[in-house]
Amino acid sequence: DQYADQLATTQRVFLAIAALSLLVGSVGILNIGLATLRERSDELSLRRSFGATSPEVARIMILESQIVAVAAAVVAMVIAAVVLPAALRAAGPEYPLGPPTLPVTAMVTGLLVSCGAALAGALAPAIRAARVPIASIMRV
């Protein structure tokens, strides 16, 4: 019973650390998105002048963040799939809790959370990108 309490406490601590990490990651994505928006404002205005609508510009920004999130999650899953078995083999042949398995559920959850964090961080820059005036390209 004591081990179950310790395990539950450890899980709560790791969950709190994960939530904090996601918050920091989302703020980082937001910061990068706003910096990218400043750099690409001419391009986005040019797209709008050639007929792209504001929602299309917002979708472009969101889609880019989702592609990066999926790519990063897939790379992380591949690294985990390669490193986890190697680390467990190096630790020793005994498995007191049974043989290790690849945490597929955790990997899928990580992919979904990665996409959610990217969406949360890219939403404000996407909305701001959709509002970039077309006339700003003419000022240069």
Side-chain angles (χ1 to χ4, degrees):
D1 199 34
Q2 180 183 4
Y3 292 120
D5 290 340
Q6 289 177 351
L7 183 61
T9 302
T10 304
Q11 286 176 333
R12 283 192 294 268
V13 167
F14 276 112
L15 183 61
I17 292 171
L20 184 61
S21 298
L22 280 174
L23 179 64
V24 169
S26 293
V27 170
I29 292 169
L30 174 67
N31 188 25
I32 290 170
L34 291 173
T36 301
L37 177 62
R38 279 191 298 275
E39 294 293 321
R40 294 180 59 193
S41 63
D42 291 345
E43 172 199 341
L44 297 172
S45 295
L46 190 61
R47 285 181 187 266
R48 298 256 331 268
S49 70
F50 283 133
T53 63
S54 293
E56 287 173 343
V57 171
R59 276 194 295 264
I60 288 170
M61 297 291 287
I62 290 173
L63 183 62
E64 287 175 357
S65 73
Q66 292 302 304
I67 289 171
V68 170
V70 168
V74 167
V75 167
M77 286 188 279
V78 168
I79 290 171
V82 170
V83 171
L84 179 65
L88 290 173
R89 276 194 302 272
E94 300 122 22
Y95 302 115
L97 300 176
T101 59
L102 199 60
V104 176
T105 305
M107 291 177 146
V108 171
T109 303
L111 175 67
L112 295 175
V113 167
S114 173
C115 289
L119 179 64
L123 205 54
I127 291 170
R128 186 176 268 185
R131 293 181 179 164
V132 170
I134 296 172
S136 68
I137 194 72
M138 302 297 182
R139 293 183 198 145
V140 177

